[in-house]
Amino acid sequence: MSDRAMSAPDFDLAVIGSGPAGLAAAALAAGRGLSTVLLDEQPEAGGQIYRAITDTPVRDRRVLGPDYWHGAELLGPLRDSGAAHWPGSTVWSVARPREDRPGDRRLQIGLSRDGAARMLSVRHVLMATGALERPFPIPGWTLPGVLGAGAAQILLKTSGLVPSGRVVLAGTGPLLWLLAWQYLRAGAALDAILDTTPRANWRAALPLLPAFLRSPYLGKGAKLLLEVRRKVKVVDGVTELRAEGEGKLAAVVYRRGDGAEQRIAADTLLLHHGVVPNLNLANATGCAQQWDETQRCWRPTTDSWGATSVEGVSLAGDGAGIGGALAAEQAGRIAALDVLHRLGRIDRAARDRAAVPHREALERALRGRQFLDTLYRPADVFRAPADDTIVCRCEEITAGAVREAVRLGCSGPNQAKSFLRCGMGPCQGRLCGPTVTEVIAAERGVSPAEVGYYRLRPPVKPITLAELAALPKTEADIDAVLKH
Amino acid sequence: MFRRLPDIAGDRVSFTIDGRPAEARSGDSVAAALLANGVAACRNTPVSGAARGPYCMMGVCFDCLVTIDGTGNRQGCQVRVAPGMAVETQDGKREAGR
Ligand SMILES: Cc1cc2nc3c(=O)[nH]c(=O)nc-3n(C[C@H](O)[C@@H](O)[C@H](O)COP(=O)(O)OP(=O)(O)OC[C@H]3O[C@@H](n4cnc5c(N)ncnc54)[C@H](O)[C@@H]3O)c2cc1C
Ligand code: FES
């Protein structure tokens, strides 16, 4: 037994991710006496929605809007709570070093900060790792000039950059409309929005409308949509989409229903098909996950307090299933209360009592979510694209190659790795996983739940040899890195 | 292409792209600085040689890999631009940080 394993853990709690879920969780936990560290790979707190909230160069507050500026209210409580805040820390592994010692509940976190790797031992880990844009594979999506709409929004929030030249937005989902609205506020012109929302979705979503009518999103969302539709050319019912160009984007080609192909010259194409949980860290930590049929994505399995299947690891916010920023904030607080209980700071009754207002607020925030999920569910043809479309950007593997592998006996994403190297590149399946699951499931005629997902291993982000050289090599540390 | 909004805070930062002088703002990531300077493609893929440029801006896609001050395969969207920084677009190799 090494000295390090005997000594006290570095912190009671590590919160990974400083979006709304992580900010709220860390402030509550530290405020109630847990020694807490908040880790995030980004240089500033805020997560995706509140990206650059402390230092955005966009001075005109109307551009990013009130929902964005709400994020600033989460920063004071974090500062006052006494939580340690380590931005610029990329977590690449979470593991229990000593399964042979049941009394020792600590977890080891592997992270890189300032170009050096280090290990951190904690009693509990709360992942608040948020969401990623759902991959939107179309022919030509790898051309320079084609970006995710979320990526373009990051450029706006962090650098005050807007697209110039001929700009096309394409896809479906609230974020696409939000970005268009923010651009209009900023005075940026858009040439067209190509809306891929399938017409049939309206029919499916209609029965869910009553709940949405009571949702806090309704008023805001409707106003925003009308304003964008008034000012930008919107093409509805787009069923086919491709980007063309030599070495960079030159044109966007689309089709509506059975109509003729249309072509728009474009310098920038911003794609969006909603967001899905960023589950790589939870998956590589061994947390069980499940297929969510409504949101068409995998999500780690959690109980109503955010506890995962791995002892000592909880998960809150969009990383546990998409609920939006206000829901993430409340889920973060609820999970933090459960950690206080698990670490013996409060009893069960106190936890349950303290959670009541947060559960009420969570319920309000989630109202109408099902309507949005159903309405903005991307069409089958985009989730499992045509044969000539690259699905794995890293290894340049097409949907056709994946289908061919299925015909040769490849039954799921893990086998696709050995058949095709699909998912073996540096993005570790983040940009192909959901598509590969859908393509294989459709080709086999079974549910995505049956074909499964990549089994990921740490490190979940590439670590350099130079970073590793900084690592103190105790037995427990080496165990934690090499365990899987 | 991308342009800067007029009423924007932040200091100007001078750096170079493939040896040519360029300007960014403090707080820009290297990938943002490239896009602001009209550079949409920053590398070629090792598989087919196709041009790639920043796609996700959040550290996920690895399409923004560039050489920064002599170190290859850095994720441009995850590194802040600094005065005097030498950024080079790159061919082929793509494993981060090696
Ligand atoms: C690009 C993008 C833009 C979005 N913009 C909006 C918006 O404007 N409005 C809106 O309502 N919703 C937006 N969303 C939806 C978003 O999911 C929000 O609902 C909200 O940000 C979720 O909060 P969260 O706390 O769960 O996670 P997030 O806010 O996503 O925060 C997660 C944080 O975890 C960090 N992280 C993840 N993995 C690691 C790791 N291994 N090591 C260290 N840190 C890690 C990330 O850097 C990130 O800062 C956006 C989503 C994306 C992907
Ligand atoms: S743009 Fe995707 S990793 Fe940098």
Side-chain angles (χ1 to χ4, degrees), chain A residues 48 55 57 59 142 146 148 151 159-164 268 393-396 426-427 431 463, chain B residues 1-5 7-9 28 45 47-48 52 55-56 58 60-63 80 94 98:
Chain A
Q48 302 309 348
D55 63 352
R59 281 195 262 237
T142 51
V146 182
S159 293
L161 289 170
V162 296
S164 55
T268 305
R393 297 173 65 103
C394 297
E395 301 290 339
E396 297 178 62
C427 94
L431 277 155
I463 342 170
Chain B
M1 288 306 90
F2 285 81
R3 69 174 166 89
R4 198 80 61 173
L5 291 175
D7 173 35
I8 280 300
D28 279 355
T45 64
V47 183
S48 70
R52 290 281 173 92
Y55 179 76
C56 74
M58 58 182 281
V60 171
C61 72
F62 291 81
D63 275 333
R80 282 193 170 177
R94 55 109 206 263
R98 302 251 158 95

mmCIF file of all heavy atoms in Angstrom, chain A residues 48 55 57 59 142 146 148 151 159-164 268 393-396 426-427 431 463, chain B residues 1-5 7-9 28 45 47-48 52 55-56 58 60-63 80 94 98:
data_model
loop_
_atom_site.group_PDB
_atom_site.id
_atom_site.type_symbol
_atom_site.label_atom_id
_atom_site.label_comp_id
_atom_site.label_asym_id
_atom_site.label_seq_id
_atom_site.Cartn_x
_atom_site.Cartn_y
_atom_site.Cartn_z
ATOM 1 N N GLN A 48 -21.373 25.421 -22.600
ATOM 2 C CA GLN A 48 -21.715 25.799 -23.980
ATOM 3 C C GLN A 48 -22.643 26.997 -24.017
ATOM 4 O O GLN A 48 -22.364 27.967 -24.716
ATOM 5 C CB GLN A 48 -22.335 24.618 -24.725
ATOM 6 C CG GLN A 48 -21.452 23.383 -24.796
ATOM 7 C CD GLN A 48 -20.046 23.655 -25.302
ATOM 8 O OE1 GLN A 48 -19.741 24.729 -25.830
ATOM 9 N NE2 GLN A 48 -19.162 22.698 -25.121
ATOM 10 N N ASP A 55 -15.872 36.946 -20.254
ATOM 11 C CA ASP A 55 -15.025 37.821 -21.066
ATOM 12 C C ASP A 55 -15.439 37.921 -22.527
ATOM 13 O O ASP A 55 -14.610 38.156 -23.400
ATOM 14 C CB ASP A 55 -13.555 37.373 -20.956
ATOM 15 C CG ASP A 55 -13.346 35.960 -21.506
ATOM 16 O OD1 ASP A 55 -14.339 35.290 -21.824
ATOM 17 O OD2 ASP A 55 -12.183 35.536 -21.619
ATOM 18 N N PRO A 57 -16.333 39.453 -25.908
ATOM 19 C CA PRO A 57 -16.113 40.805 -26.418
ATOM 20 C C PRO A 57 -17.390 41.454 -26.974
ATOM 21 O O PRO A 57 -17.358 42.615 -27.364
ATOM 22 C CB PRO A 57 -15.086 40.580 -27.541
ATOM 23 C CG PRO A 57 -15.345 39.195 -28.025
ATOM 24 C CD PRO A 57 -15.824 38.422 -26.822
ATOM 25 N N ARG A 59 -20.261 43.456 -26.680
ATOM 26 C CA ARG A 59 -20.685 44.399 -25.646
ATOM 27 C C ARG A 59 -22.193 44.621 -25.634
ATOM 28 O O ARG A 59 -22.785 44.841 -24.589
ATOM 29 C CB ARG A 59 -19.982 45.735 -25.861
ATOM 30 C CG ARG A 59 -18.560 45.730 -25.355
ATOM 31 C CD ARG A 59 -18.054 47.143 -25.265
ATOM 32 N NE ARG A 59 -17.266 47.454 -26.438
ATOM 33 C CZ ARG A 59 -16.003 47.872 -26.368
ATOM 34 N NH1 ARG A 59 -15.420 48.051 -25.203
ATOM 35 N NH2 ARG A 59 -15.339 48.141 -27.466
ATOM 36 N N THR A 142 -17.362 17.787 -44.950
ATOM 37 C CA THR A 142 -15.979 17.936 -44.489
ATOM 38 C C THR A 142 -15.267 19.109 -45.171
ATOM 39 O O THR A 142 -14.118 19.396 -44.859
ATOM 40 C CB THR A 142 -15.187 16.650 -44.789
ATOM 41 O OG1 THR A 142 -15.378 16.302 -46.169
ATOM 42 C CG2 THR A 142 -15.668 15.492 -43.923
ATOM 43 N N VAL A 146 -17.764 24.698 -44.152
ATOM 44 C CA VAL A 146 -18.932 24.062 -43.533
ATOM 45 C C VAL A 146 -18.603 23.871 -42.053
ATOM 46 O O VAL A 146 -17.585 23.254 -41.719
ATOM 47 C CB VAL A 146 -19.253 22.696 -44.168
ATOM 48 C CG1 VAL A 146 -20.504 22.095 -43.537
ATOM 49 C CG2 VAL A 146 -19.396 22.819 -45.667
ATOM 50 N N GLY A 148 -20.405 23.505 -37.813
ATOM 51 C CA GLY A 148 -21.591 23.328 -37.004
ATOM 52 C C GLY A 148 -22.157 24.692 -36.631
ATOM 53 O O GLY A 148 -21.403 25.661 -36.482
ATOM 54 N N ALA A 151 -20.735 25.664 -33.458
ATOM 55 C CA ALA A 151 -19.363 26.155 -33.622
ATOM 56 C C ALA A 151 -19.379 27.636 -33.976
ATOM 57 O O ALA A 151 -18.615 28.445 -33.432
ATOM 58 C CB ALA A 151 -18.643 25.350 -34.698
ATOM 59 N N SER A 159 -15.460 35.489 -29.730
ATOM 60 C CA SER A 159 -14.633 36.391 -30.527
ATOM 61 C C SER A 159 -15.404 37.499 -31.221
ATOM 62 O O SER A 159 -14.806 38.328 -31.901
ATOM 63 C CB SER A 159 -13.868 35.593 -31.597
ATOM 64 O OG SER A 159 -12.916 34.749 -30.990
ATOM 65 N N GLY A 160 -16.726 37.515 -31.082
ATOM 66 C CA GLY A 160 -17.495 38.536 -31.789
ATOM 67 C C GLY A 160 -17.399 38.390 -33.296
ATOM 68 O O GLY A 160 -17.410 39.386 -34.012
ATOM 69 N N LEU A 161 -17.297 37.157 -33.782
ATOM 70 C CA LEU A 161 -17.202 36.916 -35.222
ATOM 71 C C LEU A 161 -18.548 36.462 -35.775
ATOM 72 O O LEU A 161 -19.230 35.640 -35.171
ATOM 73 C CB LEU A 161 -16.159 35.830 -35.519
ATOM 74 C CG LEU A 161 -14.693 36.203 -35.306
ATOM 75 C CD1 LEU A 161 -13.810 34.961 -35.394
ATOM 76 C CD2 LEU A 161 -14.241 37.256 -36.314
ATOM 77 N N VAL A 162 -18.917 37.003 -36.938
ATOM 78 C CA VAL A 162 -20.116 36.556 -37.637
ATOM 79 C C VAL A 162 -19.725 36.219 -39.070
ATOM 80 O O VAL A 162 -18.759 36.775 -39.595
ATOM 81 C CB VAL A 162 -21.233 37.633 -37.643
ATOM 82 C CG1 VAL A 162 -21.717 37.917 -36.236
ATOM 83 C CG2 VAL A 162 -20.748 38.912 -38.311
ATOM 84 N N PRO A 163 -20.467 35.307 -39.725
ATOM 85 C CA PRO A 163 -20.089 34.957 -41.090
ATOM 86 C C PRO A 163 -20.322 36.136 -42.025
ATOM 87 O O PRO A 163 -21.281 36.896 -41.862
ATOM 88 C CB PRO A 163 -21.004 33.779 -41.428
ATOM 89 C CG PRO A 163 -22.087 33.778 -40.416
ATOM 90 C CD PRO A 163 -21.609 34.528 -39.232
ATOM 91 N N SER A 164 -19.421 36.280 -43.005
ATOM 92 C CA SER A 164 -19.611 37.309 -44.029
ATOM 93 C C SER A 164 -19.756 36.570 -45.356
ATOM 94 O O SER A 164 -19.612 35.362 -45.416
ATOM 95 C CB SER A 164 -18.417 38.243 -44.049
ATOM 96 O OG SER A 164 -17.234 37.498 -44.231
ATOM 97 N N THR A 268 -20.317 30.074 -46.623
ATOM 98 C CA THR A 268 -20.384 29.426 -45.307
ATOM 99 C C THR A 268 -21.697 28.669 -45.194
ATOM 100 O O THR A 268 -22.758 29.211 -45.513
ATOM 101 C CB THR A 268 -20.315 30.480 -44.175
ATOM 102 O OG1 THR A 268 -19.134 31.263 -44.350
ATOM 103 C CG2 THR A 268 -20.265 29.822 -42.812
ATOM 104 N N ARG A 393 -15.376 11.169 -40.041
ATOM 105 C CA ARG A 393 -14.528 12.210 -40.624
ATOM 106 C C ARG A 393 -13.048 11.885 -40.440
ATOM 107 O O ARG A 393 -12.229 12.205 -41.292
ATOM 108 C CB ARG A 393 -14.827 13.566 -39.972
ATOM 109 C CG ARG A 393 -16.234 14.068 -40.207
ATOM 110 C CD ARG A 393 -16.523 15.330 -39.381
ATOM 111 N NE ARG A 393 -15.709 16.450 -39.768
ATOM 112 C CZ ARG A 393 -16.123 17.477 -40.512
ATOM 113 N NH1 ARG A 393 -17.380 17.520 -40.942
ATOM 114 N NH2 ARG A 393 -15.309 18.465 -40.809
ATOM 115 N N CYS A 394 -12.700 11.270 -39.315
ATOM 116 C CA CYS A 394 -11.292 11.002 -39.021
ATOM 117 C C CYS A 394 -10.692 10.031 -40.030
ATOM 118 O O CYS A 394 -9.616 10.257 -40.560
ATOM 119 C CB CYS A 394 -11.136 10.422 -37.623
ATOM 120 S SG CYS A 394 -11.642 11.511 -36.282
ATOM 121 N N GLU A 395 -11.374 8.925 -40.267
ATOM 122 C CA GLU A 395 -10.833 7.884 -41.141
ATOM 123 C C GLU A 395 -11.447 7.934 -42.536
ATOM 124 O O GLU A 395 -11.167 7.071 -43.370
ATOM 125 C CB GLU A 395 -11.060 6.499 -40.517
ATOM 126 C CG GLU A 395 -10.418 6.326 -39.137
ATOM 127 C CD GLU A 395 -8.880 6.279 -39.198
ATOM 128 O OE1 GLU A 395 -8.343 5.980 -40.282
ATOM 129 O OE2 GLU A 395 -8.243 6.559 -38.169
ATOM 130 N N GLU A 396 -12.313 8.888 -42.775
ATOM 131 C CA GLU A 396 -12.968 9.081 -44.075
ATOM 132 C C GLU A 396 -13.693 7.821 -44.549
ATOM 133 O O GLU A 396 -13.478 7.321 -45.640
ATOM 134 C CB GLU A 396 -11.966 9.603 -45.115
ATOM 135 C CG GLU A 396 -11.419 10.967 -44.721
ATOM 136 C CD GLU A 396 -10.380 11.525 -45.680
ATOM 137 O OE1 GLU A 396 -10.726 11.746 -46.831
ATOM 138 O OE2 GLU A 396 -9.235 11.732 -45.251
ATOM 139 N N PRO A 426 -8.887 10.350 -33.719
ATOM 140 C CA PRO A 426 -8.743 11.182 -32.518
ATOM 141 C C PRO A 426 -10.073 11.662 -31.928
ATOM 142 O O PRO A 426 -10.134 11.948 -30.742
ATOM 143 C CB PRO A 426 -7.890 12.353 -32.999
ATOM 144 C CG PRO A 426 -7.938 12.329 -34.484
ATOM 145 C CD PRO A 426 -8.185 10.912 -34.882
ATOM 146 N N CYS A 427 -11.157 11.744 -32.706
ATOM 147 C CA CYS A 427 -12.413 12.238 -32.117
ATOM 148 C C CYS A 427 -13.084 11.154 -31.290
ATOM 149 O O CYS A 427 -14.064 11.412 -30.601
ATOM 150 C CB CYS A 427 -13.358 12.803 -33.176
ATOM 151 S SG CYS A 427 -14.571 11.648 -33.821
ATOM 152 N N LEU A 431 -17.969 12.157 -33.448
ATOM 153 C CA LEU A 431 -18.631 12.666 -34.645
ATOM 154 C C LEU A 431 -19.165 11.569 -35.559
ATOM 155 O O LEU A 431 -19.712 11.855 -36.608
ATOM 156 C CB LEU A 431 -17.678 13.585 -35.422
ATOM 157 C CG LEU A 431 -17.675 15.009 -34.852
ATOM 158 C CD1 LEU A 431 -16.389 15.711 -35.160
ATOM 159 C CD2 LEU A 431 -18.850 15.793 -35.402
ATOM 160 N N ILE A 463 -3.463 12.301 -24.852
ATOM 161 C CA ILE A 463 -2.479 12.938 -23.969
ATOM 162 C C ILE A 463 -1.136 12.806 -24.667
ATOM 163 O O ILE A 463 -0.842 11.785 -25.266
ATOM 164 C CB ILE A 463 -2.302 12.226 -22.614
ATOM 165 C CG1 ILE A 463 -3.473 11.302 -22.302
ATOM 166 C CG2 ILE A 463 -2.047 13.203 -21.494
ATOM 167 C CD1 ILE A 463 -3.210 10.424 -21.116
ATOM 168 N N MET B 1 -16.645 32.756 -44.795
ATOM 169 C CA MET B 1 -15.684 33.645 -44.127
ATOM 170 C C MET B 1 -16.329 34.360 -42.955
ATOM 171 O O MET B 1 -17.537 34.457 -42.885
ATOM 172 C CB MET B 1 -15.175 34.683 -45.137
ATOM 173 C CG MET B 1 -14.242 34.097 -46.161
ATOM 174 S SD MET B 1 -12.877 33.215 -45.414
ATOM 175 C CE MET B 1 -13.537 31.580 -45.275
ATOM 176 N N PHE B 2 -15.507 34.859 -42.082
ATOM 177 C CA PHE B 2 -16.049 35.503 -40.896
ATOM 178 C C PHE B 2 -15.498 36.920 -40.760
ATOM 179 O O PHE B 2 -14.370 37.195 -41.149
ATOM 180 C CB PHE B 2 -15.698 34.691 -39.654
ATOM 181 C CG PHE B 2 -16.535 33.439 -39.537
ATOM 182 C CD1 PHE B 2 -16.207 32.301 -40.254
ATOM 183 C CD2 PHE B 2 -17.671 33.418 -38.746
ATOM 184 C CE1 PHE B 2 -16.989 31.156 -40.181
ATOM 185 C CE2 PHE B 2 -18.468 32.283 -38.664
ATOM 186 C CZ PHE B 2 -18.122 31.143 -39.377
ATOM 187 N N ARG B 3 -16.340 37.797 -40.223
ATOM 188 C CA ARG B 3 -15.885 39.160 -39.973
ATOM 189 C C ARG B 3 -16.160 39.519 -38.520
ATOM 190 O O ARG B 3 -17.038 38.930 -37.874
ATOM 191 C CB ARG B 3 -16.571 40.150 -40.911
ATOM 192 C CG ARG B 3 -18.055 40.318 -40.610
ATOM 193 C CD ARG B 3 -18.699 41.404 -41.461
ATOM 194 N NE ARG B 3 -20.149 41.332 -41.398
ATOM 195 C CZ ARG B 3 -20.885 41.964 -40.477
ATOM 196 N NH1 ARG B 3 -20.328 42.716 -39.557
ATOM 197 N NH2 ARG B 3 -22.207 41.827 -40.480
ATOM 198 N N ARG B 4 -15.429 40.524 -38.056
ATOM 199 C CA ARG B 4 -15.555 40.947 -36.668
ATOM 200 C C ARG B 4 -16.705 41.946 -36.558
ATOM 201 O O ARG B 4 -16.837 42.820 -37.410
ATOM 202 C CB ARG B 4 -14.243 41.624 -36.273
ATOM 203 C CG ARG B 4 -14.019 41.754 -34.807
ATOM 204 C CD ARG B 4 -13.514 40.519 -34.146
ATOM 205 N NE ARG B 4 -12.233 40.056 -34.638
ATOM 206 C CZ ARG B 4 -11.559 39.047 -34.087
ATOM 207 N NH1 ARG B 4 -12.066 38.385 -33.051
ATOM 208 N NH2 ARG B 4 -10.415 38.661 -34.586
ATOM 209 N N LEU B 5 -17.544 41.835 -35.536
ATOM 210 C CA LEU B 5 -18.568 42.843 -35.306
ATOM 211 C C LEU B 5 -17.882 44.163 -34.973
ATOM 212 O O LEU B 5 -16.794 44.173 -34.406
ATOM 213 C CB LEU B 5 -19.485 42.427 -34.153
ATOM 214 C CG LEU B 5 -20.405 41.240 -34.440
ATOM 215 C CD1 LEU B 5 -21.176 40.847 -33.194
ATOM 216 C CD2 LEU B 5 -21.368 41.590 -35.573
ATOM 217 N N ASP B 7 -18.557 46.772 -32.799
ATOM 218 C CA ASP B 7 -18.390 47.269 -31.426
ATOM 219 C C ASP B 7 -17.875 46.140 -30.535
ATOM 220 O O ASP B 7 -18.604 45.559 -29.758
ATOM 221 C CB ASP B 7 -19.740 47.781 -30.908
ATOM 222 C CG ASP B 7 -19.664 48.160 -29.435
ATOM 223 O OD1 ASP B 7 -18.608 48.656 -29.010
ATOM 224 O OD2 ASP B 7 -20.656 47.926 -28.717
ATOM 225 N N ILE B 8 -16.580 45.855 -30.641
ATOM 226 C CA ILE B 8 -16.048 44.661 -29.993
ATOM 227 C C ILE B 8 -14.910 45.021 -29.052
ATOM 228 O O ILE B 8 -14.030 45.820 -29.400
ATOM 229 C CB ILE B 8 -15.572 43.688 -31.102
ATOM 230 C CG1 ILE B 8 -16.762 42.935 -31.669
ATOM 231 C CG2 ILE B 8 -14.526 42.728 -30.631
ATOM 232 C CD1 ILE B 8 -17.516 42.096 -30.673
ATOM 233 N N ALA B 9 -14.941 44.447 -27.870
ATOM 234 C CA ALA B 9 -13.873 44.707 -26.903
ATOM 235 C C ALA B 9 -12.654 43.833 -27.223
ATOM 236 O O ALA B 9 -12.747 42.907 -28.027
ATOM 237 C CB ALA B 9 -14.382 44.396 -25.501
ATOM 238 N N ASP B 28 -9.162 35.413 -28.726
ATOM 239 C CA ASP B 28 -9.415 34.523 -29.874
ATOM 240 C C ASP B 28 -8.694 33.202 -29.669
ATOM 241 O O ASP B 28 -7.545 33.181 -29.217
ATOM 242 C CB ASP B 28 -8.830 35.120 -31.168
ATOM 243 C CG ASP B 28 -9.722 36.175 -31.796
ATOM 244 O OD1 ASP B 28 -10.835 36.379 -31.292
ATOM 245 O OD2 ASP B 28 -9.289 36.783 -32.797
ATOM 246 N N THR B 45 -5.940 15.969 -44.983
ATOM 247 C CA THR B 45 -6.082 14.706 -44.247
ATOM 248 C C THR B 45 -5.004 13.720 -44.689
ATOM 249 O O THR B 45 -4.567 13.737 -45.839
ATOM 250 C CB THR B 45 -7.450 14.065 -44.499
ATOM 251 O OG1 THR B 45 -7.542 13.722 -45.878
ATOM 252 C CG2 THR B 45 -8.569 15.006 -44.136
ATOM 253 N N VAL B 47 -5.482 10.564 -45.007
ATOM 254 C CA VAL B 47 -6.078 9.475 -45.777
ATOM 255 C C VAL B 47 -6.199 9.846 -47.257
ATOM 256 O O VAL B 47 -5.629 9.188 -48.121
ATOM 257 C CB VAL B 47 -7.458 9.076 -45.194
ATOM 258 C CG1 VAL B 47 -8.045 7.903 -45.959
ATOM 259 C CG2 VAL B 47 -7.340 8.736 -43.706
ATOM 260 N N SER B 48 -6.899 10.949 -47.561
ATOM 261 C CA SER B 48 -7.137 11.295 -48.978
ATOM 262 C C SER B 48 -6.457 12.583 -49.395
ATOM 263 O O SER B 48 -6.475 12.944 -50.560
ATOM 264 C CB SER B 48 -8.641 11.435 -49.213
ATOM 265 O OG SER B 48 -9.112 12.608 -48.566
ATOM 266 N N ARG B 52 -9.159 20.388 -44.864
ATOM 267 C CA ARG B 52 -10.090 20.485 -43.730
ATOM 268 C C ARG B 52 -9.885 21.807 -43.011
ATOM 269 O O ARG B 52 -8.784 22.361 -43.016
ATOM 270 C CB ARG B 52 -9.840 19.358 -42.722
ATOM 271 C CG ARG B 52 -10.233 17.981 -43.178
ATOM 272 C CD ARG B 52 -11.726 17.727 -43.078
ATOM 273 N NE ARG B 52 -12.064 16.445 -43.690
ATOM 274 C CZ ARG B 52 -12.118 15.297 -43.031
ATOM 275 N NH1 ARG B 52 -11.883 15.254 -41.738
ATOM 276 N NH2 ARG B 52 -12.427 14.187 -43.667
ATOM 277 N N TYR B 55 -14.336 22.729 -37.599
ATOM 278 C CA TYR B 55 -15.733 22.339 -37.780
ATOM 279 C C TYR B 55 -16.556 22.522 -36.504
ATOM 280 O O TYR B 55 -17.685 22.981 -36.553
ATOM 281 C CB TYR B 55 -15.826 20.883 -38.244
ATOM 282 C CG TYR B 55 -17.252 20.421 -38.435
ATOM 283 C CD1 TYR B 55 -17.972 20.817 -39.555
ATOM 284 C CD2 TYR B 55 -17.891 19.638 -37.480
ATOM 285 C CE1 TYR B 55 -19.287 20.439 -39.727
ATOM 286 C CE2 TYR B 55 -19.206 19.254 -37.651
ATOM 287 C CZ TYR B 55 -19.909 19.652 -38.770
ATOM 288 O OH TYR B 55 -21.216 19.287 -38.927
ATOM 289 N N CYS B 56 -16.005 22.125 -35.331
ATOM 290 C CA CYS B 56 -16.827 22.115 -34.105
ATOM 291 C C CYS B 56 -16.494 23.247 -33.139
ATOM 292 O O CYS B 56 -17.310 23.625 -32.322
ATOM 293 C CB CYS B 56 -16.690 20.779 -33.382
ATOM 294 S SG CYS B 56 -15.105 20.580 -32.522
ATOM 295 N N MET B 58 -15.068 23.188 -30.497
ATOM 296 C CA MET B 58 -15.141 22.835 -29.073
ATOM 297 C C MET B 58 -14.271 21.631 -28.735
ATOM 298 O O MET B 58 -14.523 20.919 -27.773
ATOM 299 C CB MET B 58 -16.592 22.643 -28.627
ATOM 300 C CG MET B 58 -17.369 21.591 -29.378
ATOM 301 S SD MET B 58 -19.098 21.512 -28.802
ATOM 302 C CE MET B 58 -18.911 20.567 -27.283
ATOM 303 N N VAL B 60 -13.644 18.796 -30.336
ATOM 304 C CA VAL B 60 -14.159 17.457 -30.584
ATOM 305 C C VAL B 60 -13.663 16.845 -31.897
ATOM 306 O O VAL B 60 -13.273 15.687 -31.949
ATOM 307 C CB VAL B 60 -15.709 17.494 -30.570
ATOM 308 C CG1 VAL B 60 -16.278 16.178 -31.041
ATOM 309 C CG2 VAL B 60 -16.206 17.802 -29.164
ATOM 310 N N CYS B 61 -13.643 17.628 -32.982
ATOM 311 C CA CYS B 61 -13.481 17.031 -34.318
ATOM 312 C C CYS B 61 -12.031 16.874 -34.771
ATOM 313 O O CYS B 61 -11.747 16.110 -35.676
ATOM 314 C CB CYS B 61 -14.244 17.845 -35.348
ATOM 315 S SG CYS B 61 -13.497 19.451 -35.718
ATOM 316 N N PHE B 62 -11.107 17.613 -34.206
ATOM 317 C CA PHE B 62 -9.681 17.561 -34.569
ATOM 318 C C PHE B 62 -9.416 17.990 -36.018
ATOM 319 O O PHE B 62 -8.373 17.678 -36.567
ATOM 320 C CB PHE B 62 -9.087 16.166 -34.289
ATOM 321 C CG PHE B 62 -8.983 15.881 -32.821
ATOM 322 C CD1 PHE B 62 -10.088 15.447 -32.109
ATOM 323 C CD2 PHE B 62 -7.800 16.084 -32.134
ATOM 324 C CE1 PHE B 62 -10.014 15.207 -30.737
ATOM 325 C CE2 PHE B 62 -7.718 15.851 -30.774
ATOM 326 C CZ PHE B 62 -8.821 15.408 -30.074
ATOM 327 N N ASP B 63 -10.350 18.696 -36.624
ATOM 328 C CA ASP B 63 -10.111 19.185 -37.980
ATOM 329 C C ASP B 63 -9.344 20.501 -37.981
ATOM 330 O O ASP B 63 -8.967 20.999 -39.033
ATOM 331 C CB ASP B 63 -11.444 19.342 -38.728
ATOM 332 C CG ASP B 63 -11.866 18.026 -39.360
ATOM 333 O OD1 ASP B 63 -10.974 17.212 -39.657
ATOM 334 O OD2 ASP B 63 -13.073 17.807 -39.539
ATOM 335 N N ARG B 80 -5.278 29.609 -27.170
ATOM 336 C CA ARG B 80 -5.498 31.030 -27.409
ATOM 337 C C ARG B 80 -4.327 31.632 -28.171
ATOM 338 O O ARG B 80 -3.172 31.289 -27.907
ATOM 339 C CB ARG B 80 -5.693 31.762 -26.081
ATOM 340 C CG ARG B 80 -7.079 31.545 -25.559
ATOM 341 C CD ARG B 80 -7.409 32.480 -24.438
ATOM 342 N NE ARG B 80 -8.836 32.361 -24.145
ATOM 343 C CZ ARG B 80 -9.420 33.021 -23.175
ATOM 344 N NH1 ARG B 80 -8.743 33.845 -22.401
ATOM 345 N NH2 ARG B 80 -10.704 32.875 -22.973
ATOM 346 N N ARG B 94 -1.920 13.827 -38.132
ATOM 347 C CA ARG B 94 -3.021 14.453 -37.423
ATOM 348 C C ARG B 94 -3.166 14.020 -35.970
ATOM 349 O O ARG B 94 -4.090 14.412 -35.307
ATOM 350 C CB ARG B 94 -4.333 14.192 -38.163
ATOM 351 C CG ARG B 94 -4.614 12.714 -38.408
ATOM 352 C CD ARG B 94 -5.710 12.169 -37.595
ATOM 353 N NE ARG B 94 -5.511 10.751 -37.423
ATOM 354 C CZ ARG B 94 -6.090 9.829 -38.159
ATOM 355 N NH1 ARG B 94 -6.927 10.147 -39.097
ATOM 356 N NH2 ARG B 94 -5.855 8.579 -37.910
ATOM 357 N N ARG B 98 1.617 15.142 -31.087
ATOM 358 C CA ARG B 98 2.818 14.326 -31.223
ATOM 359 C C ARG B 98 3.812 14.992 -32.146
ATOM 360 O O ARG B 98 3.419 15.688 -33.055
ATOM 361 C CB ARG B 98 2.470 12.950 -31.808
ATOM 362 C CG ARG B 98 1.478 12.250 -30.938
ATOM 363 C CD ARG B 98 2.009 11.075 -30.161
ATOM 364 N NE ARG B 98 1.120 10.853 -29.027
ATOM 365 C CZ ARG B 98 0.119 9.980 -29.042
ATOM 366 N NH1 ARG B 98 -0.074 9.233 -30.053
ATOM 367 N NH2 ARG B 98 -0.643 9.859 -27.986
#
